[in-house]
Amino acid sequence: MKLKEVDRTAMQAWSPAQNHPIYLATGTSAQQLDATFSTNASLEIFEFDLSDPSLDMKSCATFSSSHRYHKLIWGPHKMDSKGDISGVVIAGGENGNIILYDPSKIIAGDKEVVIAQKDKHTGPVRALDVNIFQTNLVASGANESEIYIWDLNNFATPMTPGAKTQPPEDISCIAWNRQVQHILASASPSGRATVWDLRKNEPIIKVSDHSNRMHCSGLAWHPDVATQMVLASEDDRLPVVQMWDLRFAASPIRVLENHARGILAIAWSMADPELLLSCGKDAKILCSNPNTGEVLYELPTNTQWCFDIQWCPRNPAVLSAASFDGRISVYSIMGGSIDGLRQKQVDKLSSSFGNLDPFGTGQPLPPLQIPQQTTQHSIVLPLKKPPKWVRRPVGASFSFGGKLVTFEHAKVQPQQGAEPQQQRQHVFISQVVTEKDFLSRSEQLQQVVQSQSFTSYCQRKIDASQTEFEKNVWSFLKVNFEDDSRGKYLELLGYRREDLGKKQIKEEKQESDFLPSAGGTFNISVSGDIDGLITRALLTGNFESAVDLCLHDNRMADAIILAIAGGQELLAQTQKKYFAKSQSKITRLITAVVMKNWKEIVESCDLKNWREALAAVLTYAKPDEFSALCDLLGARLESEGDSLLQAQACLCYICAGNVEKLVACWTKAQDGSNPLSLQDLIEKVVILRKAVQLTHAMDTNTVGALLAEKMSQYASLLAAQGSIATALAFLPDNTNQPNIVQLRDRLCRAQGKPAPGQESSKSPYERQPLSKGRPGPSAGHPQMPRVQTQQYYPHGENPPPPGFIMHGNVNPNTAAPLPTSPGHMHSQLPPYPQPQRPQNGWNDPPALNRGPKKKKMPENFMPPVPITSPIMNPAGDPQSQMLQQQPSVPGPLSGQASFPQPHLAGGQPFHGVQQPLGQTGMPPSFSKPNVEGAPGAPIGNTIQHVQALPTEKITKKPIPDEHLILKTTFEDLIQRCLSSATDPQTKRKLDDASKRLEFLYDKLREQTLSPAIINGLHSIARSIETRNYSEGLSVHTHIVSTSNFSETSAFMPVLKVVLSQASKLGV
């Protein structure tokens, strides 16, 4: 959109990029007249001020000149780094003269503004350019193939790039190469362009179009690629912009045909090589991408031609265009709104007429009103693509794991002989480590944990401790890994048993010198005084009276000695009376020691004597109450306002092995924001957890909320320093706090591993080949179900084996024939029936029946032993007959060896029905006839007489090692749920689930499950280990939906219940 405009018929030149503010120099154009036919000429400088909302540009200075100009440029020669007004304005006149002006003097209003002037050329000077590498070199071109190189430091004598080209012709364009300082190009209206090498003083290549219709009006070098340039044609028959590469000079590599008529000027942006301006006789100003030929922007101009366009060196989004209607317009390619511009034009028009009536009535006119368009806004869109200066040249961002991601747009030269392509941008990823001491100490701690060298580590910490408190803490931690930890604790508190024993021996020796001799006679007094009364009580065996008399006479030692002889009850009473009367300093201590009331010491002692209280607890407390007493003493110390005592509470918590309270106490006393302070805490926590695990035989996997927070913070710091594996090792894995779960997921992904609980997301049931040489289903003993189950035998399935007597109507066609001889029984045993879930069970889907239902058996049915003798008395009492036929000594029958052993499907022999050892008779359910029986069964004594066979104990095959983890994981989960459940109904469900999962373990023993189901169960087990029960339920759903229902119906419903309860209880 248009920003500014100047009503001048002039050539233009922007101030250099170093200059601020931005100026625009204009010089009266040659070969053009205004409407007044004025022949005056001037050189004028305008200030480009975007803070001014008007279209007018402020004129800073005007210099009246006697020359008109064909070309005007502003070079940065002698401009200082501060950007003060300086530089040189170089003008090409119409009489072959080149004039140098000082712009600072023009703005200052001086009269002597001409630096130098030379009339060396023949004809008008139409081409000028400044070398961007050596700003004192200026190239000029005129008629008769004249090209001169001017040195602004020595302007008297110009140089030539070489011999004049033949035939002589006008030089319409000239340009220095933007990458190589000694390369110069010139072009003539005939369409030929010549490239000069100033080191050789000769032309090195000439390019021209073979159509002979190429009249060059513009020439520009590529800003980045040294061998590429563009030529513009002003011929209406060939209105194109040709892009040439001197490495392939036979023909242009690209032709831009965006104009309808001849092109008058071009300008290539130095800020973005993909922006090329062109203006032509079709009154268009286009901004194109020379690499693709796409028009990125078309400036909204009027119908006049523009003969000169230039980019602003300082503001890359601004350009200026000089048109033949006597106006220089300044535009922006970034778009904007032109509503304000229209209003300004209307206001300007209205103000030029004033408010008088043009018809002479003398009445003032109201202000000019224009229709308000509220819905439509004239918005000029910017470029189709963001220009290069808007894009970030460099960028940096920190990512997870201490990674620093950076990029930069470096200039890359195209390879020799290859067409320039779009530059590949490189992204650099580097590891940033800011806490080297923190990382070093963390690695040492990790090595100690792996090598289990805790004692030496604590000793190193003790030696390196700078404070007495730090030394005490590490000394207390070290004691946990040594023998007789309580004794070592006492030594650290200043109480050595050996020293006390030496003092005691010394005192005993001194006292022994004063002991009375044991020889001689003594008098037994029975007088009426206290001694006589005590004597009378002792002689009669009345110890209670004797003790009371001693206490009354304040003879405490005698009372205690006599109470010991009187028994424990009397001793306890005497102790109480003694403690009630005694008022010494250590009475309460003696009371607590004798009465074993250690809690009294901890709760009531002066906190200045906390060491003595802790020593007493270490000496006398039982193991089951030791930790609680240490915690109680630590809590008292921590609640005090004294910071020194609060710090000493840490020692109590170390003795107690209470990691959570140690973390809380240490956090209050230390600065947690410092990474090294957090490292100090984690070192103590890790060592104490290992000590508790070794000495207390406790499970240290449970992590409290505060400890989990600190461990998470520690892992985050390690990850920020790039130590991903160490961070994952220290992160607690048995907590479901969202921030820790998220951090663990990010750490796993940073290592390239799947997140916990997502190992099976891609293919949860991958087929795993069985190990070679592993035997298939071998001979074994099928496990009978623990619960009574109902057996269904649809049409087409085998009936129960012979000897199973069923209540109700049994189809004789489906039952196996009874043997005709007691010595030979050939039975057809069906495959071992799949146990079905109980009727009316919880969380059961409807039973899937593939045929019409048969009559079901009663719930208390148990399979009888096979029949081995003929039915003798069917009408008699079955119980008595069975008792008569029962052998007195359990043992195998003589005819049993001749029986062919029935086999199950898969070649597995059947070894009979499991019964308790020693019970060879009928099962309890057959002790009396069942009157009711199954629905539809006849009423009466329908149980036939059978003879029991001795049974064999069924031994189960072991579960394969690779599947044993399934049983361990499922049973552990059920136990955790039972310990957390409070509802009796939930506990019943879990107990039932534990029993019914035996069906799964049986199938694992027999290896009858498909690989897809096996893999799915292992995925569920991994989800349980990571506490990701939602993932386990989704895998469960996939198994049920993709597998055979009969294969999984016995155990999959209860497994879903267990997962649901675990998720609900949060175990």
Side-chain angles (χ1 to χ4, degrees):
M1 61 170 291
K2 182 182 289 188
L3 301 177
K4 301 289 183 181
E5 64 180 9
V6 178
D7 293 332
R8 298 291 188 274
T9 303
M11 306 303 293
Q12 57 180 345
W14 287 98
S15 59
Q18 301 94 317
N19 195 78
H20 183 75
I22 303 174
Y23 292 100
L24 180 66
T26 62
T28 305
S29 176
Q31 300 296 324
Q32 294 188 45
L33 294 174
D34 57 9
T36 62
F37 293 92
S38 173
T39 57
N40 297 329
S42 63
L43 183 64
E44 196 168 1
I45 297 179
F46 295 89
E47 181 182 355
F48 179 63
D49 185 10
L50 287 176
S51 62
D52 183 8
S54 65
L55 288 176
D56 299 330
M57 291 182 69
K58 176 185 176 183
S59 177
C60 296
T62 303
F63 171 72
S64 298
S65 172
S66 58
H67 304 281
R68 289 173 173 257
Y69 310 106
H70 283 273
K71 186 67 175 177
L72 198 67
I73 60 174
W74 193 334
H77 180 58
K78 292 185 178 180
M79 178 172 285
D80 57 13
S81 59
K82 296 182 180 179
D84 294 335
I85 302 300
S86 187
V88 179
V89 175
I90 308 166
E94 55 186 348
N95 297 320
N97 50 351
I98 295 179
I99 310 103
L100 306 182
Y101 297 97
D102 188 345
S104 59
K105 291 183 178 181
I106 296 176
I107 295 177
D110 294 348
K111 295 182 179 180
E112 300 297 331
V113 298
V114 178
I115 300 174
Q117 178 177 353
K118 283 294 180 181
D119 300 334
K120 185 69 175 177
H121 278 290
T122 302
V125 180
R126 296 185 177 90
L128 287 172
D129 195 22
V130 176
N131 193 311
I132 62 173
F133 299 100
Q134 293 179 269
T135 57
N136 61 309
L137 296 181
V138 179
S140 61
N143 296 343
E144 302 297 329
S145 299
E146 289 180 351
I147 299 177
Y148 291 128
I149 308 298
W150 304 86
D151 186 354
L152 300 184
N153 296 324
N154 184 13
F155 196 67
T157 305
M159 301 173 291
T160 60
K164 293 182 180 181
T165 57
Q166 298 297 329
E169 53 188 350
D170 298 341
I171 302 299
S172 59
C173 309
I174 198 167
W176 291 96
N177 192 284
R178 302 299 184 184
Q179 297 295 322
V180 184
Q181 62 181 0
H182 56 83
I183 299 297
L184 179 71
S186 61
S188 61
S190 63
R192 284 188 294 271
T194 305
V195 179
W196 305 82
D197 188 346
L198 300 188
R199 294 184 304 180
K200 300 179 180 179
N201 263 14
E202 63 180 7
I204 56 176
I205 193 172
K206 296 180 180 179
V207 294
S208 63
D209 186 73
H210 298 291
S211 64
N212 293 326
R213 294 182 296 176
M214 182 75 178
H215 293 183
C216 288
S217 60
L219 167 67
W221 284 100
H222 195 292
D224 295 336
V225 183
T227 58
Q228 292 183 3
M229 64 179 180
V230 292
L231 299 174
S233 171
E234 66 176 345
D235 194 331
D236 291 344
R237 298 172 298 173
L238 192 66
V240 297
V241 175
Q242 295 179 346
M243 188 172 182
W244 292 81
D245 194 320
L246 301 183
R247 296 168 295 182
F248 315 100
S251 61
I253 60 174
R254 188 167 291 105
V255 178
L256 280 64
E257 301 177 348
N258 299 320
H259 285 276
R261 298 184 64 183
I263 299 170
L264 298 177
I266 58 173
W268 207 329
S269 173
M270 291 295 295
D272 190 350
E274 295 184 353
L275 299 180
L276 177 66
L277 284 174
S278 59
C279 59
K281 300 175 186 178
D282 53 1
K284 290 183 179 180
I285 300 179
L286 304 180
C287 183
S288 308
N289 185 348
N291 296 323
T292 62
E294 179 187 7
V295 176
L296 302 177
Y297 190 67
E298 180 176 354
L299 276 77
T301 60
N302 51 21
T303 58
Q304 293 294 328
W305 299 355
C306 293
F307 58 89
D308 186 22
I309 52 175
Q310 292 188 23
W311 290 99
C312 176
R314 187 173 181 87
N315 191 336
V318 174
L319 61 99
S320 61
S323 58
F324 285 112
D325 60 353
R327 180 178 289 113
I328 298 176
S329 303
V330 181
Y331 298 94
S332 171
I333 61 172
M334 301 305 292
S337 174
I338 62 174
D339 291 339
L341 179 61
R342 290 180 176 177
Q343 184 63 42
K344 293 171 187 175
Q345 292 175 345
V346 171
D347 294 342
K348 183 178 179 180
L349 180 63
S350 178
S351 62
S352 63
F353 283 97
N355 57 356
L356 295 180
D357 183 7
F359 301 102
T361 60
Q363 299 295 328
L365 294 177
L368 182 61
Q369 300 291 332
I370 60 173
Q372 299 292 332
Q373 298 180 356
T374 58
T375 58
Q376 295 182 357
H377 296 280
S378 300
I379 303 296
V380 179
L381 298 177
L383 289 170
K384 293 183 180 179
K385 57 177 285 295
K388 184 178 179 180
W389 62 83
V390 176
R391 308 172 207 160
R392 293 182 180 177
V394 295
S397 176
F398 278 100
S399 64
F400 182 76
K403 299 290 191 302
L404 179 63
V405 184
T406 60
F407 70 90
E408 60 180 354
H409 296 290
K411 293 184 178 180
V412 181
Q413 295 293 339
Q415 297 180 358
Q416 187 71 20
E419 184 177 350
Q421 299 178 354
Q422 187 176 4
Q423 297 180 3
R424 290 185 177 181
Q425 306 299 337
H426 295 281
V427 177
F428 304 94
I429 302 177
S430 56
Q431 182 68 51
V432 178
V433 178
T434 57
E435 302 289 343
K436 295 183 179 179
D437 294 341
F438 174 75
L439 274 186
S440 176
R441 291 176 58 180
S442 176
E443 292 174 359
Q444 292 177 8
L445 180 61
Q446 182 74 355
Q447 293 173 2
V448 168
V449 172
Q450 294 175 356
S451 62
Q452 302 289 318
S453 56
F454 302 113
T455 305
S456 60
Y457 179 75
C458 292
Q459 187 60 47
R460 291 197 302 270
K461 287 293 184 180
I462 293 173
D463 298 338
S465 298
Q466 298 179 354
T467 62
E468 189 65 24
F469 172 69
E470 187 78 9
K471 184 176 180 180
N472 289 336
V473 169
W474 283 110
S475 299
F476 271 66
L477 288 172
K478 179 186 175 184
V479 165
N480 287 282
F481 301 98
E482 298 177 352
D483 297 334
D484 189 19
S485 59
R486 286 203 184 185
K488 298 292 179 61
Y489 278 137
L490 285 173
E491 293 180 5
L492 292 174
L493 291 172
Y495 297 95
R496 296 179 60 88
R497 295 176 180 175
E498 294 81 1
D499 297 343
L500 189 61
K502 292 178 181 178
K503 294 180 181 179
Q504 185 177 2
I505 292 173
K506 184 177 180 180
E507 292 175 357
E508 288 178 355
K509 287 182 179 181
Q510 295 176 356
E511 293 175 356
S512 63
D513 298 337
F514 302 99
L515 291 177
S517 59
T521 61
F522 68 97
N523 183 22
I524 301 177
S525 175
V526 290
S527 59
D529 56 359
I530 293 297
D531 290 341
L533 295 176
I534 294 175
T535 301
R536 293 174 182 274
L538 291 175
L539 293 177
T540 59
N542 191 350
F543 287 98
E544 293 183 5
S545 298
V547 168
D548 290 339
L549 291 171
C550 291
L551 291 174
H552 179 73
D553 198 27
N554 202 21
R555 298 163 64 173
M556 298 297 178
D558 293 342
I560 295 298
I561 295 299
L562 293 175
I564 293 175
Q568 290 294 328
E569 184 178 355
L570 179 59
L571 178 61
Q573 295 175 0
T574 306
Q575 288 174 348
K576 291 181 180 179
K577 293 178 181 179
Y578 168 76
F579 292 139
K581 296 183 66 175
S582 179
Q583 299 296 331
S584 65
K585 295 180 180 180
I586 62 171
T587 300
R588 297 187 66 179
L589 176 61
I590 297 175
T591 304
V593 172
V594 173
M595 305 303 293
K596 297 182 180 180
N597 188 6
W598 317 120
K599 190 175 181 181
E600 172 69 18
I601 296 180
V602 173
E603 289 180 341
S604 303
C605 73
D606 190 351
L607 289 180
K608 295 180 180 179
N609 304 119
W610 70 269
R611 291 177 179 271
E612 289 73 17
L614 183 58
V617 172
L618 287 168
T619 304
Y620 295 107
K622 297 179 181 179
D624 55 347
E625 61 182 1
F626 174 70
S627 297
L629 293 173
C630 291
D631 285 341
L632 182 58
L633 181 58
R636 285 195 63 200
L637 290 171
E638 192 176 356
S639 62
E640 286 295 315
D642 190 353
S643 60
L644 182 60
L645 291 178
Q646 288 178 350
Q648 302 301 334
C650 296
L651 300 180
C652 298
Y653 294 141
I654 291 175
C655 294
N658 195 327
V659 181
E660 190 70 17
K661 288 192 175 181
L662 175 63
V663 173
C665 182
W666 189 271
T667 304
K668 293 179 181 178
Q670 302 294 331
D671 180 18
S673 60
N674 187 3
L676 293 181
S677 177
L678 182 61
Q679 176 68 31
D680 290 338
L681 173 62
I682 297 300
E683 288 172 352
K684 297 172 178 60
V685 166
V686 170
I687 298 300
L688 181 58
R689 282 165 61 88
K690 293 297 181 181
V692 171
Q693 187 176 0
L694 292 175
T695 59
H696 294 67
M698 295 172 59
D699 182 18
T700 60
N701 291 328
T702 56
V703 178
L706 183 58
L707 177 58
E709 178 186 353
K710 292 298 178 183
M711 296 295 282
S712 174
Q713 184 180 354
Y714 182 68
S716 299
L717 283 175
L718 286 173
Q721 301 299 317
S723 186
I724 303 296
T726 308
L728 194 57
F730 282 107
L731 192 67
D733 55 356
N734 54 352
T735 177
N736 291 326
Q737 295 186 18
N739 56 338
I740 298 181
V741 173
Q742 181 183 12
L743 180 58
R744 186 186 303 115
D745 177 77
R746 298 186 72 182
L747 290 172
C748 292
R749 294 180 185 275
Q751 285 189 315
K753 299 178 182 178
Q758 298 180 0
E759 294 90 344
S760 58
S761 58
K762 293 184 178 179
S763 178
Y765 321 114
E766 296 180 356
R767 185 179 298 274
Q768 297 181 356
L770 297 177
S771 59
K772 294 184 179 180
R774 189 175 70 180
S778 58
H781 307 282
Q783 178 190 11
M784 294 303 294
R786 295 183 181 180
V787 297
Q788 298 177 1
T789 59
Q790 299 174 354
Q791 308 291 339
Y792 297 88
Y793 301 97
H795 287 300
E797 296 188 9
N798 293 325
F804 279 33
I805 302 177
M806 301 174 61
H807 295 265
N809 295 330
V810 180
N811 190 348
N813 296 328
T814 60
L818 293 176
T820 56
S821 172
H824 297 85
M825 182 179 69
H826 301 276
S827 62
Q828 299 293 329
L829 188 67
Y832 184 70
Q834 173 67 42
Q836 303 292 328
R837 65 179 58 82
Q839 190 78 13
N840 301 329
W842 44 267
N843 199 29
D844 289 343
L848 178 63
N849 296 323
R850 306 186 183 277
K853 284 187 177 180
K854 295 289 184 178
K855 297 294 183 178
K856 62 181 179 180
M857 286 184 278
E859 295 182 357
N860 59 354
F861 171 74
M862 290 186 64
V865 295
I867 298 175
T868 57
S869 62
I871 300 175
M872 301 299 296
N873 188 10
D877 184 10
Q879 183 177 5
S880 61
Q881 293 182 3
M882 282 188 288
L883 293 175
Q884 292 175 3
Q885 297 294 334
Q886 182 176 352
S888 59
V889 179
L893 295 180
S894 59
Q896 184 179 3
S898 62
F899 294 166
Q901 212 171 21
H903 284 68
L904 296 175
Q908 179 178 349
F910 180 78
H911 292 275
V913 182
Q914 181 181 6
Q915 289 183 357
L917 292 178
Q919 181 181 355
T920 57
M922 289 298 295
S925 59
F926 280 85
S927 60
K928 292 182 180 180
N930 192 331
V931 179
E932 295 181 0
I939 300 176
N941 296 332
T942 58
I943 301 179
Q944 300 178 357
H945 169 73
V946 294
Q947 182 176 355
L949 273 178
T951 59
E952 299 179 7
K953 183 178 180 180
I954 298 177
T955 59
K956 297 181 181 180
K957 292 173 55 179
I959 297 178
D961 294 339
E962 62 269 22
H963 304 323
L964 193 59
I965 186 64
L966 296 178
K967 181 177 181 181
T968 304
T969 303
F970 295 156
E971 289 183 348
D972 180 65
L973 179 61
I974 292 177
Q975 291 303 320
R976 294 205 309 267
C977 292
L978 285 172
S979 61
S980 301
T982 57
D983 184 15
Q985 184 178 3
T986 302
K987 291 186 176 181
R988 286 196 300 271
K989 290 182 180 181
L990 293 171
D991 289 334
D992 192 18
S994 177
K995 297 176 183 178
R996 297 186 63 183
L997 281 178
E998 288 293 336
F999 297 140
L1000 168 62
Y1001 307 147
D1002 290 342
K1003 288 183 176 291
L1004 292 175
R1005 293 185 181 96
E1006 303 303 329
Q1007 300 178 3
T1008 57
L1009 294 176
S1010 63
I1013 297 177
I1014 290 292
N1015 292 334
L1017 292 172
H1018 278 282
S1019 299
I1020 294 177
R1022 288 193 294 269
S1023 301
I1024 292 174
E1025 291 176 355
T1026 59
R1027 274 45 172 198
N1028 194 349
Y1029 301 118
S1030 59
E1031 177 72 18
L1033 289 172
S1034 63
V1035 175
H1036 179 281
T1037 303
H1038 189 276
I1039 296 176
V1040 174
S1041 61
T1042 57
S1043 61
N1044 189 357
F1045 177 76
S1046 61
E1047 191 176 6
T1048 60
S1049 60
F1051 55 87
M1052 289 305 285
V1054 296
L1055 188 56
K1056 178 179 180 181
V1057 171
V1058 174
L1059 290 172
S1060 301
Q1061 292 295 332
S1063 177
K1064 180 180 178 181
L1065 297 173
V1067 296

